[in-house]
Amino acid sequence: MAAIYSLYIINKSGGLIFYKDYGSAGRMDTNDSLRMASLWHSMHAISQQLSPISGCSGIELLQADTFDLHCFQSLTGTKFFVVCEPGTLHMEGLLKHIYELYTDYVLKNPFYEMEMPIRCELFDINLSQAIQKDRVALLGR
Amino acid sequence: MAPVAPRSGDAIFANVERVNAELFTLTYGAIVRQLLTDLEEVEEVNKQLDQMGYNIGIRLIDEFLAKSNVSRCVDFKETAEVIAKVGFKMFLGVTASVTNWDADGTCCSIVLEDNPLVDFVELPDTCQGLYYCNILSGVIRGALEMVSMKTEVTWLRDMLRGDDAFELQVKLLKQVPEEYPYKDDE
Amino acid sequence: MGREVAESCVDSILTEMVSTYCNRFYANKPELAARRIEAIGYQVGHQLSERYTMERPRFNDHLEAIKFICKDFWSELFKKQIDNLKTNHRGTFVLQDNKFRWLSRMSIDPSENGDLSQDNPEAAENKAAQMTSMHLYFPCGIIRGALSNLGIPCAVSADMSNLPACSFVVRIKA
Amino acid sequence: MIVCVAVVGHQNNPLYIQSFTDADDALKLHHIVHCSLDVIDEKVNNPKKSGPTLNETFLGLLYPTENYKVYGYLTNTKVKFILVTTDLDVKDADVRNYFRSFHAAYVDAVSNPFHVPGKKITSKTFAERVTNIVKSFGFSSAA
Amino acid sequence: MQFFGSSDISPSPTVPTASGNNAHMMYVFNRNGVCLLYREWNRPLRTLDAQQDQKLMFGLLFSLKSLTAKMDPTTAEKGNLGVPQLPGQGCSFHSFRTNTYKLSFMETPSGIKLILVTHPRTGDLREPLKYIYNLYVEYVAKNPLYTPGTPIRCELFNTSLDQYVRSIA
Amino acid sequence: MEEYPEELRSPPVSLVAVVGCGELHQAITTHLHSQQPPINSLALPDVSKISFLISPKPKTDSSSSAAVGILKRDWLQKHRTRIPSVIAALFTSDRISGDPAQWLQLCSDLEELKASIRARNIRLVLVVVHSHSKDDITEDRMLALRKRAEVDSKYIITFSQNDAFELKQSLHRLGSIFAELANTYYKDEGRKIKTKIEKKSFSSIELSIRYCFKVAVYAEFRRDWVEALRFYEDAYHALREMIGTSTRTTIQRLVEIKTVAEQLHFKISTLLLHGGKIPDAVTWFRQHNTWYKRIIGSPEAVFLHWEWMSRQFLVFAELLETSSIAIPTISSVIVGTAERPLTEWEFHPAHYYQLAAHYLKEKRSSLEFAVSMSESLGEVDSSAESVVPSTYVGQFARLVEQGNAHVMQPLTDDEYTRYAVAEGKRFQDSFEIIALLKKSYESYSNLKVHRMGSFCGFQMAKEYYGVGDFSNAKPLFDGIASLYRQEGWVTLLWEVLGYLRECSRKQGMVKDFIEYSLEMAALPVSSKTGDQLFGFKECGPAGPVSLQQRKLIHNEVFGFICGELELASSDESANLKVTVDNPLHLEIDVVSPLRLVLLASVAFHEHIVKPGSSTSITLSLLSQLPHTVEIDQLEVQFNQSDCNFIIVNSHRHSGALVDGHQGHRVETASSLSLSTNRWLRLTYDVKSDESGKLECISVIAKLAPHFTICCRAESPASMDELPLWKFEDRVETYPTKDPALAFSGQRAIQVEEPESQVDLNLGLSGPAFVGESFLVPVTLASKGHAVYSGELKINLVDVRGGGLISPSDTEPFSMDTHHVQLLGISEPEGEDESQQDTDKIKKIQESFGLVSVPFLKCGESWSCKLEIKWHRPKPVMLYVSLRYSPDSNESTAQKVNIHKSLQIDGKTAIMISHRLLLPFRQDPLLPSRIKPVNDTDQSPSLPSNETSILIISAKNCTDVPLRFQSMSLEVDGDDFGNSCSVQHGGEDLSDPALVVPGEEFKKVFSIIPKTNSSKIGLGNVCLRWRRDSGLDEQSGTTVNSVLTKQKLPDVNLEVSPLVLRLDCPPYAILGEPFTYFIEIQNQTQLLQEVKFSLADAQSFVMSGSHNDTVFVLPKSVHVLSYKLVPLASGVQQLPRFTLTSVRYSAGFQPSIAASTLFVFPSKPHFKMIDVQDKRIKSLATE
């Protein structure tokens, strides 16, 4: 059972810089994922525009019929979002953690060029561990 | 999430506000008669009845959906079933059956043995060719159109013409998906 | 208890009937439309009175007949009686139904205007009032039909000055 | 047995009249029915005579002719039902029952949207129902 | 919470009006994207004019739907992103939340879309939306004076809606 | 009932006999008759006659006669007329007291008498008639007599007739005894038989019946109705048992039984009815009826049964009718047993008459059958005449003579039957039936029971029809038909119409025949109603009600209409054929039953049209005839005949069709075929030039060369359904496609007037002035079209509604009673007066005028002036209306009207006022002045024979300048001329004075009244003036100069006794003294003592006595003179002089003005002297 279906990271201009799928049925190809990213980017922006109250920072949780989508946006405008089973908990925490990993292993990586797709195995490893841990944590309860 | 199973027609009918069928039957009859006197041609009356039915259908569908927890009508087959089993029951208090599916499941018959519309009704000789219950076909057409199914509804059997039951043939022409209405897409 | 159908059957058929006559056939001739709608009601009332007076002794006078309309007849149709009957004892009766079913769902929002109603609100108001009155020709017809079938020729008009209450004025033709 | 039944409108016009005899005295029956309207008028116009049966729908025996008995029934809507029978001793109960079921049949007939009030009743179903009622007349309170 | 046209139509239970104005606004769209109703209870911030706002809202919903439909991890076969959908077809969503508000969304097979924007803390509003749909049926669809497809101008609907919304959330 | 024997019809009356003393019989019988209850009496001269009367009782009693019959025919009669209950033997007293011979004779008589009555135990009474009172009979004689007669003493009574009183007494005694004895007699007789019944001592039922009958009769003799009723009923029941027992009763037997039953029933119901027990009677009859109805008897004689039945009903009906109390009461009490209650009609004789007739018809038919049978058998009933009623009720026998004796010989059944048939043939039943039906018909009609009534009427009519009496049948049928029409009983109507049709056919009434046929053809008999097939024999000549039949009739009548068929009439004289020389024309109006045949509804498409502009009209025809009808031609007629037009059927069109309609528009329709119950809708244009109502009157359809139907046009809006068809279930369609038209279409519209092309205007110059003849110019100019035969109406109306006439008495100017008056209408200048002839100005009254306008070509104009005169200031409305026709020919062109109105105020132009002055420095003492009352109210006084001055001023109160031409004081006739001389100051104004608005014009007159009358009229001021019309002085000054008159008020005249005159120089000079004379003139014949005083004046010094008393001689003047020296210059006040007349004790002073003087400072030097002092002189002298 996969609590988490996939993870997306989008740079401030809406470009997909990281996408990992954890076994969702019919995973999508890169084009689709790119389009999804930009679409989400704009939706996220629109959602802020439509806020009845000022100071809206965009969608944090989208509850679809078959999944939840948790989204975290760093102050730098990078968006992280996970697609998980409906009602999965602690996703905010997970996203925070992933953000830390991102800062540690991506931003601090001298070879990483900003706003570019992420190719750092350290990040991948830690990420997968985090996801695992999270799973374990889940299993733990 | 999975759609809630549609509630049974009887349960709903038991719950909805009801009135004497007489009032309904007689009112409908009076309307048909008035149409006949006003329009003279039977064909024209059929047309108007269908039109009226259509207009009713497009309103009624919402009540139907709201009261029978039908949350999606994507599959024509099951939609037809629901209309026959639940729809007829919850409104007219009679059950209809769906039969004669064709191969590709786009055409079926809704059969009514009992029909409150025609209590007391006897067609005069001058009104042969009148589809007395044509309003029903209109309603079905209208309702289905609102759930994005373009259909064509025709009478196969009519008790007022001596048949043993009422049979409506419902033929699915096409399903119209929802388009983004505004052309200027920012 | 005879067979029943969902109330919304009657509601929607009435709604459609009225709009058919008012908006499609005689869009610009409301008086003709009214005449038709009333006629339809008349036939229904005529037939219903035949039905509902079975098994009951004949009425001696107009008042009895009117009372019948207020009580049994009305409850057959609306599951409630007329709430208030007034008369001037000279052939005019006022039947008031404090919550007339067929008006219970009718409403338009006077406050709404601007982008929603293109024309100015009171015009919309009038339009709505006119439509409402169109809907009332039917029950008027029913009453008239019933009474005339009971041998009481009369004219019936409706007054909906305070919705959802509605009163029907019956003037018996001497 | 019942030889003739009739429905007469409030303008005393025949709405339905059916005789159940060999044809050749049908017309006589029409006359009898027509004449019986006089009695109904009488009863209705001065009800005091008809005593207890004041504004009851069932008017009872209207008048005996030589070979027939004529019974009457007046609905609230001033429609008259008339029954002509040949049997000499008829139970009122039977007649009442007959009229009751007849009335029911009539009401359904006039509920036909295509029936114009005050006009002749041409419904076949009505005719059939009437025939059945007539057949079952007198056998208990059936029909 | 089942609701039928039972003769008296006051939504139960009526909660003291003191509670809740945490409902901000409500949108109703029909299948053709016509905004049948825009109702607003508490909206300090308004960035766009009404028309734009509604258009934008509809666009958002429409896109989100296609997004969710595409993203649906449970089914393998789903068309390309943005293929037209039948109402009720594909995976849709029923709410999203930002730090400032929560938007609950319901779409009927007949293409009626009900959108309720409330305080971000409000719970699951699917049932209330159903209820509101019933209100719509009672006072709009069955209002003889209402012409299908036109903006809703029904006093009864508005009042009962207000009353009800105040009671929820 | 009449055919019953008397003794049956009336209740029996007890019978007694008196024997002997014939001279008394008269008295006795009459007395007995007058008794209550009456007693019939037989009178016999003497005992010997008794034997004739009382036949010796036949010894062979019941036993033998048992089987023969039930009731003896003569028994009842015998007991009522021949067998007395009591016999009174009268003997004169002398016969008793007389010699033995007489006594013996008497005894033998008695014996004989006793012998003869003993058998029947008739009671005996002995009456001893005392011829003269004195002789009396010895006691023993009487005893002997009693012994002989074997009667109780109280039955020997003495009858004395000495005087009226005794006679009365004895008659009374006799009467009561008779009553008593008769009663006992009948009682005993009754009892005897009763015992027989009780102990069943009779051989046969017949006897029991007979006994019961007898007992009942005896009871009736005793007026014991209850018993009578009981026994009659017993008898009746016994009789029924008889039927029950006797299986297969023979015809005659049955006849007898029924006859008896009839009698018994009659008795019973009579008793019941007379007892007021109507319901019982009715129920009884009903039973009687039900019991015997079925007992028809053997077929060959069945008609006897029907006859009998019929008689039962007839009799009962008559009984009901005669027992008059019945009818009103019963209807309120419907009694009768619960399970079979009695109904209304059973209390009305009508009901029974009807049924009597019904059975009589049965009888007739069965008799006819029997007759035909017998004839077919070729039987000749030779024996019939010899058949006679036999001794028993209801039996018949043949009378055969054997030798010289007649013997009754019983008949065989078929002999009897033959006899009966023969008898039956002698009667014409139809009339009997008709009579019966008539009876019930009438009584039903009286009860307002129309349907029953008309049913009887119908049967009557059928009878008449049967006997070929159509003239009687037809009206009946007609009446009935209308009832059935009205109630829509088609099947019945059909039958009646069938008869009517035949009647008219037989009578050769073509029109009726066709109308009836058409109606039948159009009757609402559909295949549905048709399925109620009727046997042919019953449904009259028209055949069964059915569509086919309708079609047949349709074809027949149309064949006839087209002249193909002849009408086969009973009387061949009339040629019944629709041909050129007798065409046929039917009218169908709104109520006609033929509306079924043809109905024309006409609707204009507009409600109002401009003249000359065309509108469309839709005419819709509807027919219910079973076959399609081709119309040759339609003519549509309007109230404006020139709109009429004709529509010809292009198929059938032949030149002949449009005959005589030249000038009418002719349309052609592709087809004019009327199919059943389908509207034939035609739309055409109509154009009317005439304003007003345009109404479609009728549509005439020509169906055949010589057959037309004129159909009254109906508006769809006000079209009620067809009679009869309105009850039929049938597709209803509107006469016009357009629903609006179908509901609101009218057959009449309004044609507007053509709007006028002429403008009419009234020129007005300011307000009018009272008195002047005010001119209002009227001009009319035709712009659009010419004006033919125009005429101008002028009306003057008071604005405030009030009439212009004023009650003349309040009117000083009595010659004109009108405040405002239309004087004339002056033709425009330039036209010479010859135009002004009578026909032009039609008439002018005070407030109304009518003038004809000459023909004006288009563009021409014409004008005239209205001359109006105000006699009173008054605002007036002037109405002018022009009516003309825009084109030449009077008849067709309709008139156009234009109206103009204008308000004109009449104002008074001038106010005339006047003032009176006395001469200067001269003051008459006027007694009227003495008593100083306020002068205002009384008219001013003038001194006679003194000159007074009258100043008249006229003010122009208009707002235009006026010219006054002359002002004069015109004395009105009589004595004024010499009574008073008037000098006008100055002469007539040479050039008219211009008086601007508001200015006042004055003129002075001096008057010297020369009369001694106390009052004087000053006459009228006559002021001639006109408006100042700027330049034109001379033109028409006379015409419009106005003479305003105003009467001056009368003034009083007085002779003044004293006149005071002051005399002083015209002026004085400062410091120069002058003399101031004061003359006191005494005009009376008396010596006048006057006191005077002269007040000081500061501007003069004077000498002379200041005050004094002087006496003035009659007719003389006393002069006082003073010397005065002016001390100041200017106008100065002379010393005031006051005079007091002692006689009149009135003092007076000259006016201030009179006693002022101008003082020059120094001697003045005047230029142009003469003028100066001429003026001065004039001043001074006056």
Side-chain angles (χ1 to χ4, degrees), chain F residues 659-874:
Chain F
D659 43 5
H661 298 115
Q662 270 55 30
H664 279 345
R665 167 164 146 237
V666 176
E667 301 278 355
T668 314
S670 56
S671 121
L672 289 176
S673 56
L674 265 177
S675 44
T676 313
N677 193 29
R678 282 208 152 285
W679 286 100
L680 168 61
R681 296 164 175 151
L682 303 162
T683 301
Y684 289 100
D685 283 357
V686 179
K687 170 139 50 93
S688 160
D689 299 325
E690 189 170 346
S691 68
K693 197 176 182 202
L694 173 60
E695 181 175 22
C696 178
I697 301 297
S698 56
V699 177
I700 300 178
K702 183 186 279 264
L703 300 179
H706 312 299
F707 178 73
T708 53
I709 298 179
C710 171
C711 214
R712 186 78 48 83
E714 300 182 35
S715 308
S718 59
M719 194 170 60
D720 50 357
E721 329 93 316
L722 288 162
L724 297 169
W725 274 108
K726 78 177 162 198
F727 300 126
E728 301 312 305
D729 178 23
R730 180 195 56 159
V731 273
E732 290 297 342
T733 50
Y734 300 132
T736 60
K737 265 287 184 199
D738 169 6
L741 210 54
F743 278 118
S744 60
Q746 292 293 348
R747 67 190 177 98
I749 52 169
Q750 202 60 33
V751 181
E752 292 174 332
E753 277 186 352
E755 74 288 3
S756 77
Q757 304 282 11
V758 173
D759 52 10
L760 166 75
N761 52 20
L762 311 175
L764 172 65
S765 52
F769 301 140
V770 171
E772 75 176 326
S773 69
F774 186 70
L775 292 185
V776 181
V778 177
T779 58
L780 50 100
S782 82
K783 307 195 308 300
H785 45 235
V787 174
Y788 289 89
S789 64
E791 55 186 18
L792 212 55
K793 272 211 200 67
I794 298 101
N795 275 294
L796 286 175
V797 179
D798 181 349
V799 171
R800 288 185 221 75
L804 293 168
I805 315 258
S806 65
S808 53
D809 51 359
T810 67
E811 196 61 40
F813 301 82
S814 54
M815 71 274 200
D816 50 7
T817 60
H818 276 65
H819 290 178
V820 183
Q821 193 177 13
L822 178 65
L823 294 179
I825 298 165
S826 58
E827 294 294 314
E829 298 79 356
E831 291 190 31
D832 51 315
E833 296 309 296
S834 68
Q835 289 287 72
Q836 209 100 345
D837 53 16
T838 52
D839 73 330
K840 297 270 310 168
I841 292 180
K842 296 248 173 38
K843 69 156 95 72
I844 296 195
Q845 294 166 350
E846 271 68 8
S847 59
F848 171 78
L850 182 64
V851 60
S852 63
V853 177
F855 161 63
L856 293 178
K857 281 196 289 306
C858 181
E860 280 185 339
S861 77
W862 178 85
S863 72
C864 67
K865 286 205 173 61
L866 308 180
E867 191 173 355
I868 307 172
K869 183 165 189 180
W870 273 256
H871 299 296
R872 284 269 165 291
K874 194 189 253 306

Side-chain angles (χ1 to χ4, degrees), chain D residues 17-85:
Chain D
I17 179 160
Q18 177 69 49
S19 50
F20 299 92
T21 57
D22 48 347
D24 68 349
D25 60 352
L27 197 46
K28 171 134 122 271
L29 291 170
H30 281 223
H31 279 294
I32 288 171
V33 170
H34 186 244
C35 288
S36 67
L37 295 178
D38 281 328
V39 194
I40 293 179
D41 284 358
E42 181 75 8
K43 279 183 185 291
V44 173
N45 294 341
N46 32 21
K48 81 192 86 49
K49 291 188 192 173
S50 45
T53 68
L54 174 62
N55 67 36
E56 188 192 336
T57 48
F58 177 61
L59 298 176
L61 178 66
L62 295 182
Y63 73 108
T65 68
E66 265 320 81
N67 319 324
Y68 307 105
K69 282 195 180 318
V70 186
Y71 289 87
Y73 182 97
L74 177 60
T75 73
N76 238 314
T77 58
K78 309 289 173 297
V79 175
K80 296 131 189 140
F81 302 150
I82 291 166
L83 164 66
V84 186
T85 166

Side-chain angles (χ1 to χ4, degrees), chain B residues 76-94:
Chain B
F76 178 58
K77 241 175 149 57
E78 81 190 29
T79 307
E81 286 293 339
V82 168
I83 283 182
K85 293 268 176 313
V86 185
F88 274 90
K89 184 67 190 179
M90 76 179 264
F91 288 117
L92 296 183
V94 299

Side-chain angles (χ1 to χ4, degrees), chain B residues 1 59 62 72 146 178 182, chain E residues 88 110 113 126 133 141 146:
Chain B
M1 60 180 261
R59 285 170 176 268
D62 278 310
R72 70 177 63 210
M146 290 321 272
E178 201 169 21
Y182 319 121
Chain E
S110 57
K113 297 173 181 58
R126 274 177 278 187
Y133 182 39
Y146 174 73

Side-chain angles (χ1 to χ4, degrees), chain F residues 25 93-94 229 270 290 439 448 547 665 716 741 774 780 848 894 920 992 1035 1090 1134:
Chain F
H25 293 176
S93 54
D94 48 9
L229 189 60
T270 322
T290 41
K439 270 183 166 4
K448 298 270 170 300
L547 193 52
R665 167 164 146 237
L741 210 54
F774 186 70
L780 50 100
F848 171 78
Q894 80 280 20
F920 190 61
S1035 66
V1090 293
L1134 288 168

Side-chain angles (χ1 to χ4, degrees), chain F residues 884-952:
Chain F
Y884 69 96
S885 60
D887 64 9
S888 56
N889 60 341
E890 300 290 324
S891 58
T892 62
Q894 80 280 20
K895 297 286 191 176
V896 184
N897 293 293
I898 315 171
H899 306 282
K900 276 275 164 44
S901 69
L902 179 65
Q903 175 171 352
I904 310 174
D905 313 9
K907 297 209 177 111
T908 37
I910 296 162
M911 260 168 46
I912 294 177
S913 57
H914 70 283
R915 219 164 84 243
L916 278 167
L917 288 182
L918 297 179
F920 190 61
R921 288 189 181 167
Q922 168 174 334
D923 289 296
L925 172 103
L926 297 178
S928 61
R929 293 271 186 74
I930 293 168
K931 47 195 81 75
V933 277
N934 46 349
D935 284 359
T936 54
D937 64 345
Q938 66 179 175
S939 52
S941 308
L942 285 185
S944 52
N945 306 324
E946 304 283 333
T947 33
S948 305
I949 297 173
L950 170 65
I951 303 171
I952 297 178

Side-chain angles (χ1 to χ4, degrees), chain C residues 1 8 12-13 32 46 49 61 64 73 77-78 91 97 104 106 111-112 131 137 141 145 150 157 173-174:
Chain C
M1 190 58 243
S8 41
S12 38
I13 197 116
L32 278 185
H46 204 276
S49 64
D61 55 4
E64 275 188 24
F73 192 81
L77 294 191
F78 302 111
D97 186 334
S104 62
M106 267 189 222
S111 70
E112 296 280 1
M131 281 309 288
Y137 279 110
L150 296 175
S157 59
K173 299 217 183 79

